[in-house]
Amino acid sequence: MSLVVYLAAAVLALSAAVLFRRPNTAVGKPSGLRNALTVSTCVAIALGAVVFLCSAPMTLAAVNDLTGVPNFGAPLTYGLLSAYSCSLLILLINWRGGPRERVRRLVLRCIAVYGPLIVAIVVLFALADARVERLNDLDTYYANTPGMREMIVLYLLGHTAAIVAMTVVCVRWGREVTGLLRAGLWLIFVGALLDLVGFQLTKYTAVVARWTGHDLDFLSTRVAPPMAALAALTCSAGFVLPRLLPAAVGHWRGLRDYRRLDPLWLRVGFVSTAPKPPSAWWQSPAERLHCREVAIHDALLALAPYFDDRVRERALSAALAEGRSAHQARVAAEAAMLAAAARRAAAHEEPLRTPSTGRLHATEVSGAGGLVELAQALGGSDAAGTMREGTVKAF
C-alpha cells in the first residue's frame, strides 16, 4: 500500500513543480489573480502530495519512531488532509475569481473554519488513549475509543464538506463555461465523486460497522487508499489541464514551425548577421522559433540585392502552367528566386544592378506562417536538389 500512495505523492509533486515552472499560463486573468491562482493551485497539489506521503504506513512508522509517540502520524496526516481540503476550496475561490475583496473574504472564511478544525484534531488526539500503534487500520481500530472516535469523525466531516462544496461549484460553474475550463471542471467533478464514493463512503461504512459490532475493515484499509489516490490525481488533472495544455500546444506548434523552417534556414542562414542565441538547450520552442525568425528575416534583407525578377517571373509562369493557385504560384516563384539569390551570394558574385523591388509574401505577414510556406516551397522545389553552398548548421 505504501507504494501506491508514494506513487500518487510523486505524481502530484511533479504536477505542482511543472505548474510552478510555468506561472503565467492562466489566460484571461489579471496578473494579481493569475499569481494567486498559480500559488493556490501549487499549494493544493503540493499539500495533496504531502498528505499521501504522510499517510503511507512506512512514513507513519518513521514519524512515530522519530517522535516517540504512538500514532503521532495520525493527527499529522489528518491535520494535513484538513489543510488540503481547505486549499481545494481556496483554489476554487481564486479560480472563479471576482472582486478582490470578495475573494479575500471567502478565503478568510475557509481558513477560519478549517484552522480550528485542525486544532481540534490535535487536541482530541492528545486527550485520547491511543497507545497501540496502528499503521493500516487506525480509523477502525479506534472507532469506539473516546477522543479518537471524535477525531476520526471530525476529519472525515471536514473533508466531506470540502468535497461536497467543490462538487456543487463544479456542476454550477460547468454550465456557464466551455472549452478546456469546462473539461477541467468535469475532471474535478469526477475526482470528487471518486473521493466521495471510493474514499469517504468506504471510510464511513467501515467506522459505522465497528460502532454496530461488525467488521468491514477491508473497506478502510484496502479500498479507500487507492480510491483516494485516484480521486486526487483526477482532481489535480482537472486543475492543471486548463492551465498547462494551452502552453503545451503552443510549445508543440513552436517546435513544429521551428523544424519546418529548416529548408529555408539551411539555404540562407550563412548570410545572416543576427546574433546567435547564447544557448539552445534551455530555451523554449517559442524562444528558439523567434530567434530563427529574426535570423531568417535578417538573411532575407542581406539577399535582397540578389533578387532577380526574371527568375521569379519564369518560375511564376511555370507554376501557373502546372495548375497551381495564384498564391501557391507566388510562393513557389519567390522560393526559386531566393534559391538563385543564395547561390549568387554564396559564390561571392556582385549584386544585381537592378534587383527586384517587390516584397516577399513571407515579409508581408506576421508570425512564422509566411516563412514556413516559403521554407516548404523551397524544400520541395528543384532548388532543394542543387548545391548547398550556403548551408549552415541550424541553431
Side-chain angles (χ1 to χ4, degrees), residues 42 63 89 102 147 175 192 199 224 231 270 289-290 321 326 345 367 371 382:
C42 291
V63 170
L89 294 178
R102 178 177 177 274
R175 297 169 181 171
F199 174 71
F270 72 104
L289 176 62
H290 176 71
L371 292 177
D382 293 338

Side-chain angles (χ1 to χ4, degrees), residues 19-360:
L19 183 61
F20 188 75
R21 173 65 180 84
R22 291 294 174 188
N24 294 323
T25 54
V27 180
K29 295 281 187 181
S31 59
L33 291 177
R34 182 169 62 239
N35 293 335
L37 180 58
T38 297
V39 172
S40 58
T41 304
C42 291
V43 168
I45 296 177
L47 276 174
V50 174
V51 169
F52 281 110
L53 179 65
C54 291
S55 65
M58 291 178 59
T59 305
L60 291 173
V63 170
N64 295 340
D65 291 341
L66 183 64
T67 60
V69 179
N71 299 310
F72 184 86
L76 175 64
T77 302
Y78 296 158
L80 287 170
L81 179 61
S82 299
Y84 171 65
S85 301
C86 181
S87 70
L88 290 178
L89 294 178
I90 293 174
L91 171 54
L92 281 177
I93 292 170
N94 282 310
W95 202 4
R96 184 62 187 259
R100 289 195 176 186
E101 283 302 317
R102 178 177 177 274
V103 170
R104 181 174 176 272
R105 185 170 60 253
L106 292 174
V107 169
L108 290 177
R109 285 180 183 177
C110 290
I111 296 174
V113 171
Y114 281 90
L117 186 146
I118 295 172
V119 173
I121 288 174
V122 176
V123 171
L124 287 169
F125 175 79
L127 296 176
D129 183 6
R131 301 177 185 177
V132 180
E133 184 181 57
R134 308 302 297 186
L135 301 179
N136 295 291
D137 60 348
L138 182 139
D139 289 346
T140 50
Y141 185 85
Y142 287 108
N144 292 305
T145 302
M148 293 295 287
R149 174 182 57 228
E150 288 76 16
M151 181 193 73
I152 293 166
V153 172
L154 194 59
Y155 96 80
L156 285 174
L157 288 177
H159 188 56
T160 300
I163 297 300
V164 169
M166 188 169 66
T167 303
V168 173
V169 170
C170 287
V171 172
R172 290 180 178 176
W173 194 11
R175 297 169 181 171
E176 304 173 8
V177 297
T178 58
L180 281 177
L181 184 54
R182 186 173 187 178
L185 287 172
W186 282 112
L187 277 175
I188 297 170
F189 175 75
V190 171
L193 287 182
L194 289 172
D195 192 298
L196 285 171
V197 177
F199 174 71
Q200 296 178 46
L201 182 59
T202 55
K203 284 283 187 180
Y204 283 123
T205 302
V207 170
V208 172
R210 279 283 186 156
W211 291 349
T212 58
H214 298 85
D215 185 352
L216 295 177
D217 291 7
F218 76 95
L219 292 176
S220 178
T221 58
R222 298 181 183 178
V223 177
M227 292 300 294
L230 180 60
L233 292 175
T234 305
C235 284
S236 297
F239 286 124
V240 170
L241 177 67
R243 312 206 58 220
L244 289 187
L245 189 58
V249 171
H251 286 335
W252 180 82
R253 289 176 177 172
L255 182 60
R256 178 198 62 186
D257 289 343
Y258 179 85
R259 294 303 182 191
R260 293 178 71 184
L261 287 176
D262 278 348
L264 179 55
W265 174 244
L266 291 172
R267 177 65 59 173
V268 305
F270 72 104
V271 296
S272 176
T273 58
K276 300 295 187 295
S279 180
W281 66 267
W282 55 265
Q283 286 184 311
S284 69
E287 292 169 334
R288 297 179 66 188
L289 176 62
H290 176 71
C291 290
R292 177 164 285 190
E293 285 182 71
V294 171
I296 289 176
H297 278 293
D298 182 78
L300 294 179
L301 286 175
L303 290 174
Y306 295 93
F307 288 166
D308 192 340
D309 276 331
R310 293 171 298 177
V311 175
R312 173 161 42 186
E313 290 169 1
R314 287 195 299 268
L316 180 63
S317 299
L320 291 173
E322 293 175 359
R324 300 189 189 184
S325 67
H327 176 71
Q328 292 174 335
R330 177 186 177 182
V331 174
E334 291 175 352
M337 181 180 67
L338 178 61
R343 286 195 296 273
R344 293 193 188 97
H348 303 290
E349 297 181 11
E350 290 294 325
L352 298 177
R353 293 183 179 181
T354 56
S356 173
T357 57
R359 294 186 62 187
L360 298 178

